[in-house]
Structure formats: C-alpha cells, structure tokens
C-alpha cells in the first residue's frame, strides 16, 4: 500500500471516529435518569438530564417531575328536613337562620303556615307540605287540622290533600306528619300520590312505618322514591341528637346521599343548636342540598316551576 492510499484511509477513519464521538456525546446528554421512589414500584419519577432540566410544562414549579392530573370526586349529598313548622314553634327562628341549605316541612292551616313557608323560600330552602296523616297510635290532637284519615272516602281524601297543598305556598313536595297507619294503606296513598303527580310534586316517606307502601306506589307511578334514613331527635336530648348526627356522618361514608329529619317544637332549639355546631363536620362528608335535588336526580318532574 503506498503512502497516498494510507493518508486517504486515515482521513476517512478520522471522520468516522469524529462522527461516532459526536453522536455519543449528544446521546449521553439526553440519557434518561430513572428514579424509583422508596415505596417500591408503585410510582416512578422520570427525568431527562438534558431537555428536562429546563422544567416540566405540566408542573413548572417542580422541574423534571411528572404529576398525574387530579381526578375530581363528586361530593355526596345531605338533605336535612325539619318538620312541624307553621305554628310559631320553638326553634323556628334558629332553623330559618342556618347558613346551609335545608328543607322545611310546613303544616297547613296553622297561624304561621304562610309566614314560615315564605321565610324559608326567601332563604333558598326547599318547602314541603307536612301533611297530617293518621297514625297507628298517638293523640288525635297531635295531627292538626286537615288530617288524612283511613276512614275517609276517596273524594274526601283527594279534597283534603288538594286544599292542604293550596294552603302552603312554595311547596315542591309533600311528606307525612305522623301517618304510620295511612302510609301503609294502599288506597289512601294511591290517592295522595295521584294528586302529587298531577300537581308536579314528589312525596318524601318519613318512614314512620317500616311497612309503608309509599315506595312501591311511587315506582308504579314513575315518581321519585325518596325516604328518610335517620331521625335526628326522636329522643329530645343534646346527647342523643349528637349521636344521631354521627350516624348521619357514618351513613354518608357508605352511601352517596342521606335524608335525615329533625323537628321544631319542644326539641327544636336543641336540634338547631346541635345541627349548627355539626355543619363543618358534616360538610367534610357531603354537600347540604334541598331534598328536591335528590328527587330531581331520579326524575324530571313537570311542571317546570317546581324545579327551577
């Protein structure tokens, strides 16, 4: 091999070596560095020593890290219904000044029926007709005027329900006052629920009788099935009401919504006081909503003005 050929081969080799070296340097500058966090293989953080050093566009405040987007979890819903408004009962003012959305159930044909319903509506609360209905046991005078009795004719039951609805302004639905006997009577409840459907209302079963037929009859009519889960103040003591509030919180850990019922009257101030003190705790579990929101989720009820 002569000296000129050797020089030519030497130049080609030098160019190849130079190109190889440059490629190696460029590749090395972008070599991924994989860091596995101490908690095993459940998560990995990957950074690029080259381009990655300038920052991660997805998370500019933490250069080189990859942060998964947070998944929004829909909050659970809590509907608190307060029964027995309409007769200037103790605890009414406290309930109507709560800083969260509530539902009030107002009895018809009583001295403050219209006033209490109007105040609640102005606060943005849902208003229910608290319809007096015959119980298995209890004093007849506890029912109040306009009560629905199982001895009544179909026409009389319908007339009383319609008159009671007309007497309470801003109603979006009905729940039963007492009613352990009436809510187990298919004839009576069929009439009540037919009127509900005609008026664009829903019925909340207070569950004063576990043999209630309300759920079955609502399903047959295409009405929402909404019922009480927990009574807050079936025993009128601060200790018991507080215990029931904790039951509500526990219920919400296992379910997506809860309906709970308290009262104004003899136990009203205690119920209002415990409820107000528990708002922050309950907000950790759910949003306070009107009970109409739970009904709306099941069905779109007409006419429109019922659910603005």
């Amino acid at each position: 091999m002569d000296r000129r050929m050797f020089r030519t081969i030497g130049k080609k080799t030098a160019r190849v070596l130079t190109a190889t070296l440059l490629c190696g340097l460029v590749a090395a500058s972008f070599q991924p560095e994989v860091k596995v966090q101490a908690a095993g293989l459940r998560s990995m953080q990957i950074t690029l020593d080259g381009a990655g050093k300038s920052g991660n566009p997805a998370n500019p405040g933490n250069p080189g890290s990859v942060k998964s987007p947070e998944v929004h979890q829909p909050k659970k819903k809590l509907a608190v219904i307060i029964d027995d408004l309409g007769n200037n009962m103790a605890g009414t003012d406290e309930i109507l000044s709560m800083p969260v959305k509530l539902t009030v159930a107002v009895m018809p044909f009583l001295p403050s029926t219209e006033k209490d319903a109007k105040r609640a509506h102005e606060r943005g609360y849902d208003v229910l007709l608290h319809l007096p209905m015959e119980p298995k046991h209890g004093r007849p005078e506890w029912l109040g005027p306009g009560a629905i009795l199982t001895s009544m004719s179909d026409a009389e039951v319908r007339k009383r329900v319609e008159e009671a609805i007309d007497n309470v302004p801003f109603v979006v639905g009905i729940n039963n006052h007492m009613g352990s006997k009436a809510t187990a009577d298919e004839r009576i409840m069929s009439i009540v629920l037919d009127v509900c459907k005609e008026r664009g209302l829903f019925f909340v079963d207070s569950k004063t009788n576990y043999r209630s037929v309300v759920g079955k009859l609502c399903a047959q009519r295409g009405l929402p099935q909404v019922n009480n889960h927990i009574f807050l103040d079936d025993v009128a003591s601060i200790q018991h009401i507080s215990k029931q509030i904790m039951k509500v919180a526990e219920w919400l850990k296992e379910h997506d919504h809860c309906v709970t019922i308290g009262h104004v009257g003899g136990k009203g101030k205690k119920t209002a006081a415990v409820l107000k003190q528990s708002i922050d705790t309950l907000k950790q579990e759910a949003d306070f909503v009107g009970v109409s929101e739970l009904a709306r989720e099941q069905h779109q009820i007409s006419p429109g003005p019922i659910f603005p």
Side-chain angles (χ1 to χ4, degrees):
M1 181 181 299
D2 63 22
R3 196 171 293 177
R4 285 176 302 174
M5 183 178 294
F6 180 83
R7 283 198 297 268
T8 302
I9 294 174
K11 290 177 182 179
K12 290 181 179 179
T13 303
R15 285 197 295 270
V16 171
L17 289 173
T18 300
T20 303
L21 178 59
L22 286 173
C23 289
L25 289 172
V26 171
S29 68
F30 287 94
Q31 180 65 34
E33 179 191 76
V34 179
K35 298 177 181 178
V36 181
Q37 296 178 352
L41 296 177
R42 287 178 295 178
S43 62
M44 286 196 302
Q45 185 181 43
I46 301 175
T47 61
L48 298 178
D49 284 345
K53 293 288 188 178
S54 63
N56 175 18
N59 188 12
N62 188 7
S65 68
V66 178
K67 184 178 180 180
S68 299
E70 294 183 4
V71 179
H72 175 68
Q73 296 293 336
K75 290 202 74 171
K76 299 180 178 185
K77 296 179 181 180
L78 171 60
V80 178
I81 301 174
I82 303 297
D83 284 353
D84 295 346
L85 280 81
N87 200 25
N88 295 308
M89 304 295 276
T92 296
D93 289 340
E94 290 82 352
I95 288 298
L96 292 177
S97 62
M98 287 287 172
V100 291
K101 180 149 187 173
L102 302 178
T103 299
V104 297
V106 183
M107 297 186 68
F109 312 116
L110 292 175
S112 66
T113 293
E114 185 174 349
K115 179 183 72 173
D116 289 350
K118 183 178 179 182
R119 287 177 66 193
H121 177 72
E122 289 172 350
R123 290 282 298 174
Y125 297 174
D126 280 359
V127 178
L128 300 180
L129 162 63
H130 196 38
L131 185 64
M133 306 184 80
E134 184 178 358
K136 288 182 177 180
H137 310 287
R139 299 176 185 174
E141 58 267 28
W142 288 351
L143 281 173
I148 305 300
L149 306 177
T150 57
S151 59
M152 291 176 174
S153 67
D154 292 6
E156 192 171 7
V157 171
R158 171 176 281 274
K159 181 173 181 291
R160 288 206 172 191
V161 175
E162 290 178 337
E163 288 175 347
I165 292 171
D166 293 337
N167 188 253
V168 182
F170 308 112
V171 295
V172 296
I174 299 175
N175 76 338
N176 51 294
H177 172 60
M178 304 178 74
S180 55
K181 185 174 183 180
T183 55
D185 188 306
E186 289 203 20
R187 180 182 69 87
I188 296 296
M189 289 313 305
S190 292
I191 300 166
V192 173
L193 295 175
D194 284 345
V195 176
C196 281
K197 187 164 186 179
E198 291 163 11
R199 293 293 193 102
L201 306 175
F202 59 91
F203 192 95
V204 179
D205 187 355
S206 299
K207 284 291 184 182
T208 54
N209 182 355
Y210 286 103
R211 295 184 178 179
S212 168
V213 297
V214 172
K216 178 182 75 172
L217 297 179
C218 282
Q220 291 174 0
R221 287 161 175 76
L223 289 170
Q225 298 176 59
V226 185
N227 59 268
N228 175 40
H229 299 122
I230 298 170
F231 278 109
L232 290 178
D233 49 13
D234 47 319
V235 176
S237 72
I238 293 289
Q239 182 179 8
H240 179 78
I241 298 167
S242 299
K243 180 181 176 182
Q244 296 301 95
I245 287 284
M246 296 312 298
K247 285 185 178 180
V248 170
E250 289 300 316
W251 177 278
L252 286 165
K253 292 183 188 300
E254 303 295 331
H255 304 84
D256 61 5
H257 73 275
C258 181
V259 178
T260 185
I261 293 181
H263 300 80
V264 293
K267 57 191 84 172
K269 288 184 180 290
K270 294 177 182 178
T271 299
V274 175
L275 180 59
K276 188 172 184 178
Q277 292 173 359
S278 304
I279 286 173
D280 289 342
T281 299
L282 292 172
K283 276 185 173 180
Q284 295 176 19
E285 303 296 338
D287 290 330
F288 283 81
V289 299
V291 73
S292 64
E293 186 166 332
L294 302 182
R296 187 190 302 117
E297 287 180 348
Q298 294 188 42
H299 296 276
Q300 292 296 325
I301 302 176
S302 59
I306 297 302
F307 295 127

